[in-house]
Amino acid sequence: MTSNPHRLIDLRVAPRRLPADELERSLAAADTPLLLLCLVQVTGDVSLLDRFGTRLRYEQTGRKGDSRAHPVGRLPEEDLAELKKLLVEALTREPDGEYLQVPDDALFHRMVRLATGADVGEEFVGSIREQAGFEPSRHTVECRTDPPADFKVAVLGAGMTGIAAAIACADNGFSYEIFERGDDIGGTWRINTYPGIAVDTPSVYYSLSFEQEAGWSRQYPVGDEYQRYLQRVVDKYGLRPNIRFGTEIKSLVWDDGSQEWEVTCATADGGTVTSRANAVITATGFLNSPKYPDLPGRETFAGPSIHTAAWDHSLDLAGKRVGVIGAGATSVQVVDAIAGDVAHLTLFQRQPHWVLPNTLGEGLVSEQERWLKEHLPFYGRWLRAKSYWYTTDTLYPGVRADKEWMASHPLSISEANDRVLQMCLGHLEASFGNDPELRRKMTPDFPVHGKRIVRDPGGYYAALASDRADVVTDRLARVVPQGIETEDGTLVELDVIIYATGFTLEFLSPVEIVGRGGARLADQWAGGTDPRSYLGGTVPNFPNLFVTSGPNSSSGHGGGHNFMTEVVVHYITQCLRLLVERGARSIEVTREAQDEFVAAVDAQMEGSIWRNSPKAHTYYRNASGRVMLPNPWRMVDYWRMSRTPDESKFVIR
């Protein structure tokens, strides 16, 4: 019998005594409703919710119409002083009992409504409690049997998802091995080190729910800071001995006889190694190979040229004429970071993105807030719960189409979508109001969210408005030794070319994957151009293969990659547990289950922004117009769908 299936993850908060001076000093920077919730859990006195909660008043902060702004809860001055006094008293004496670790459903529902200042529906309780880090994901499959000692899981990739999958395997008693082609962990944050790289999800939320980070220096953490976070997680959970670095997966072949996968890899020294695994979790993402524009003559350029995914930190841009090709999130961050160094910057833009203004300045996290998240019991979790609420399904109406609204609003698809549009238009006007031609170039002709929306780090639009910058929207013809020529024959002379053109959408296409009966994943997925699966991660004919970052399993309206990582990894572990409990060797989704799910995806997708903004150039759609990347439902819906495997959808052998 397995009495405690969570072997590694322990989220209990030990009672503690805090220094009064540091606590009192840091409370000045605290979110008032969250202090109340911390006090309730530290003392176990639920009556405090009646005493203080009824006197809380919430007010909206931030720019007018900013749907992302969080309401701020306030108490009358005398009540706030009393609340802080009680909290200091409770936390500066020797602890005399256990804390209230995980509020029950009804109590948590009441508390999260106070935390957010919003009418949070009961359906969200489970997902918020899990994502806030109050408890690990709950098992929905019985855990009566330990996995066989010889049952091994191969995890492909050591980025965020591969790390989470490995921890989940260990947490559930499965032996595992991680195959990583690079020389370190980190995925995106290992590969991308270009100037200005940062996460565009709030730092308080963009981490694994069971391993939160209190010390983020910024509201949106920079890339190397996030890479260091992942390295700490790997070391804390002892994953490194189970990682094969410098090992690139070349093929996966299913053996019908042994019901195992044969895993063939190329090693850094040019060799080939083969191993076997009972199950495979792919955690390689879908954007891995740098993408270059189809421009003749790239190799003829006389100066340095560089892709942002292979940045050379010895490159000196000071006083240079620099051309940046691309206008997405990477380009925005690079331009913001280098504009002050270069002599002249030319942005080559095929299609503009909608850009949100920076409302945070440098976005530094105060020392007091960092102290509270690290030391005040439960404070960081409630802060994360609040951030989760306002960066996930509250944004969903913005990507759903209202046909009646669209009939009279060419640049927005709904009232919620229009609120974001007005913020972006305001940023355009404030930045380029004195230059109508530049404003025209930078204004998209499709609704907000038709392409991934971008956040201005603070200097992107300002850099382009400078007299030391130009925006070129003419089609590019070729690269020549002196620079880039446009189709009308204009030569833009350059010293350096930066390709901020992203990655090729691959969906496992670089790996030869052969399933049951010789079925080839490349054939079923049309070479990666039309991938289809059940719940984003299992495919008929491919037993014990679990795909993360699969088709229609990314959040398109908010929430961060970390949410979908944890949801999908939870579902995979429940499938593996089901296999163990049934004493079986393989689990394979049926063709009928996949087809039914894909039909539901496509039907729900019809009401989405991605099916109602045809002018937007986006890799979310394939050549036939099918939207293959985002999940069309609310995040809570996908979370609920992924709680437990439905045995009727699988063949278990």
Side-chain angles (χ1 to χ4, degrees):
M1 293 285 289
T2 304
S3 59
N4 179 17
H6 288 291
R7 302 156 191 239
L8 295 180
I9 301 171
D10 185 356
L11 296 177
R12 291 172 297 177
V13 177
R16 63 190 62 170
R17 182 180 182 180
L18 300 178
D21 55 344
E22 289 189 78
L23 177 58
E24 290 173 348
R25 178 175 57 85
S26 298
L27 288 180
D31 185 310
T32 297
L34 307 192
L35 294 183
L36 171 58
L37 306 182
C38 294
L39 180 60
V40 169
Q41 288 191 261
V42 166
T43 63
D45 186 356
V46 178
S47 70
L48 293 165
L49 297 177
D50 293 320
R51 179 175 173 184
F52 293 103
T54 55
R55 298 181 62 78
L56 280 167
R57 296 294 179 266
Y58 295 85
E59 55 189 59
Q60 197 77 19
T61 61
R63 291 171 177 255
K64 184 178 180 181
D66 186 349
S67 60
R68 302 164 303 134
H70 300 181
V72 173
R74 305 193 189 281
L75 280 173
E77 189 172 328
E78 61 275 15
D79 290 308
L80 178 58
E82 179 64 15
L83 173 62
K84 290 181 177 179
K85 177 174 175 289
L86 291 173
L87 196 57
V88 170
E89 288 176 353
L91 286 167
T92 56
R93 60 176 179 244
E94 287 298 326
D96 57 2
E98 290 295 315
Y99 294 157
L100 172 59
Q101 299 287 340
V102 185
D104 61 38
D105 285 357
L107 179 57
F108 187 86
H109 188 201
R110 184 180 179 189
M111 294 172 79
V112 80
R113 292 172 76 170
L114 289 173
T116 60
D119 187 17
V120 178
E122 189 174 348
E123 64 178 323
F124 295 97
V125 167
S127 62
I128 296 176
R129 183 167 52 200
E130 180 183 301
Q131 282 299 305
F134 284 100
E135 63 178 0
S137 60
R138 294 181 178 181
H139 283 285
T140 55
V141 174
E142 291 180 296
C143 299
R144 299 173 301 177
T145 310
D146 285 320
D150 62 348
F151 192 100
K152 188 174 79 172
V153 181
V155 179
L156 313 187
M160 177 200 283
T161 304
I163 292 167
I167 294 171
C169 284
D171 198 41
N172 282 274
F174 292 98
S175 63
Y176 67 91
E177 189 168 28
I178 303 174
F179 297 82
E180 168 55 50
R181 69 178 180 178
D183 58 2
D184 198 357
I185 61 93
T188 291
W189 310 110
R190 174 186 64 82
I191 295 168
N192 291 283
T193 62
Y194 58 80
I197 183 171
V199 179
D200 59 4
T201 301
S203 58
V204 70
Y205 180 62
Y206 195 64
S207 60
L208 297 170
S209 64
F210 57 86
E211 195 59 47
Q212 295 177 32
E213 171 61 49
W216 298 118
S217 66
R218 296 174 182 269
Q219 302 291 349
Y220 293 88
V222 294
D224 61 345
E225 192 172 20
Y226 200 78
Q227 168 75 340
R228 291 194 298 273
Y229 160 75
L230 291 176
Q231 290 170 333
R232 286 195 297 274
V233 172
V234 163
D235 292 337
K236 174 178 177 178
Y237 288 92
L239 305 187
R240 285 189 186 274
N242 293 67
I243 304 176
R244 290 193 191 185
F245 290 110
T247 307
E248 183 174 5
I249 302 296
K250 305 305 289 186
S251 70
L252 301 169
V253 179
W254 176 253
D255 185 329
D256 281 321
S258 65
Q259 297 192 77
E260 293 177 331
W261 284 99
E262 183 179 84
V263 183
T264 301
C265 315
T267 58
D269 60 6
T272 299
V273 296
T274 300
S275 62
R276 300 180 78 83
N278 301 86
V280 174
I281 301 174
T282 73
T284 57
F286 44 74
L287 297 170
N288 292 293
S289 301
K291 182 179 182 180
Y292 288 88
D294 185 17
L295 275 179
R298 284 195 294 113
E299 70 284 352
T300 69
F301 181 59
S305 62
I306 190 169
H307 194 285
T308 53
W311 194 264
D312 180 357
H313 289 273
S314 68
L315 180 62
D316 183 8
L317 299 178
K320 303 290 177 58
R321 298 167 299 175
V322 177
V324 178
I325 301 178
T330 298
S331 174
V332 168
Q333 292 178 343
V334 169
V335 168
D336 175 88
I338 70 173
D341 298 326
V342 305
H344 191 275
L345 186 143
T346 303
L347 177 71
F348 296 94
Q349 173 182 269
R350 182 180 65 160
Q351 187 179 48
H353 283 242
W354 288 110
V355 178
L356 287 166
N358 179 354
T359 59
L360 295 173
E362 290 188 67
L364 299 177
V365 179
S366 70
E367 178 187 347
Q368 291 95 329
E369 182 177 316
R370 294 199 300 272
W371 191 92
L372 288 168
K373 287 189 292 185
E374 182 174 359
H375 298 286
L376 180 57
F378 308 106
Y379 185 83
R381 297 182 187 181
W382 285 114
L383 194 63
R384 181 181 170 105
K386 183 175 180 178
S387 179
Y388 170 79
W389 175 250
Y390 284 105
T391 56
T392 54
D393 286 336
T394 56
L395 305 179
Y396 186 67
V399 300
R400 301 303 296 174
D402 178 338
K403 296 293 187 180
E404 185 176 340
W405 178 276
M406 291 173 63
S408 57
H409 296 80
L411 286 181
S412 60
I413 63 167
S414 67
E415 185 177 2
N417 185 270
D418 195 75
R419 286 196 293 270
V420 183
L421 170 68
Q422 297 308 316
M423 291 176 58
C424 295
L425 288 173
H427 190 31
L428 282 163
E429 175 62 28
S431 302
F432 309 124
N434 296 326
D435 190 339
E437 176 59 17
L438 183 54
R439 176 174 174 170
R440 181 192 64 78
K441 287 181 177 181
M442 300 306 298
T443 303
D445 62 354
F446 55 85
V448 169
H449 293 297
K451 297 175 72 165
R452 181 183 175 189
I453 201 165
V454 177
R455 188 183 71 89
D456 192 333
Y460 176 61
Y461 274 1
L464 299 182
S466 162
D467 57 7
R468 295 190 298 113
D470 292 308
V471 177
V472 173
T473 58
D474 297 328
R475 286 184 175 273
L476 307 187
R478 64 190 59 83
V479 179
V480 296
Q482 302 94 327
I484 295 176
E485 283 186 3
T486 61
E487 285 191 347
D488 66 1
T490 301
L491 171 63
V492 180
E493 295 186 353
L494 300 168
D495 300 311
V496 179
I497 297 175
I498 297 172
Y499 294 96
T501 45
F503 296 83
T504 300
L505 187 64
E506 292 178 325
F507 279 118
L508 297 174
S509 54
V511 181
E512 182 184 22
I513 303 178
V514 182
R516 184 172 52 80
R520 297 172 58 85
L521 188 64
D523 295 336
Q524 286 192 201
W525 281 7
T529 63
D530 192 20
R532 298 168 183 239
S533 66
Y534 173 70
L535 269 179
T538 53
V539 188
N541 296 321
F542 296 88
N544 293 10
L545 177 68
F546 303 98
V547 180
T548 70
S549 297
N552 300 117
S553 66
S554 297
S555 172
H557 62 274
H561 177 60
N562 54 308
F563 174 85
M564 288 310 224
T565 284
E566 293 195 27
V567 169
V568 171
V569 166
H570 164 85
Y571 187 76
I572 292 170
T573 59
Q574 298 312 291
C575 287
L576 292 175
R577 291 230 58 98
L578 181 62
L579 203 61
V580 170
E581 294 302 325
R582 298 296 176 267
R585 297 290 291 177
S586 70
I587 181 169
E588 177 188 340
V589 71
T590 67
R591 172 72 64 178
E592 293 75 19
Q594 176 191 272
D595 292 348
E596 180 184 358
F597 179 77
V598 170
V601 166
D602 291 346
Q604 182 71 7
M605 199 69 77
E606 284 303 307
S608 74
I609 178 68
W610 308 289
R611 290 290 294 160
N612 289 275
S613 57
K615 291 183 179 180
H617 304 156
T618 174
Y619 59 85
Y620 286 10
R621 290 190 298 266
N622 64 13
S624 68
R626 182 173 183 273
V627 183
M628 56 183 181
L629 194 64
N631 151 53
W633 290 286
R634 298 177 306 167
M635 294 169 70
V636 70
D637 298 325
Y638 201 81
W639 179 85
R640 189 164 46 247
M641 291 177 189
S642 304
R643 286 301 81 200
T644 190
D646 179 350
E647 287 192 60
S648 70
K649 308 296 185 185
F650 294 92
V651 175
I652 299 177
R653 297 184 177 90

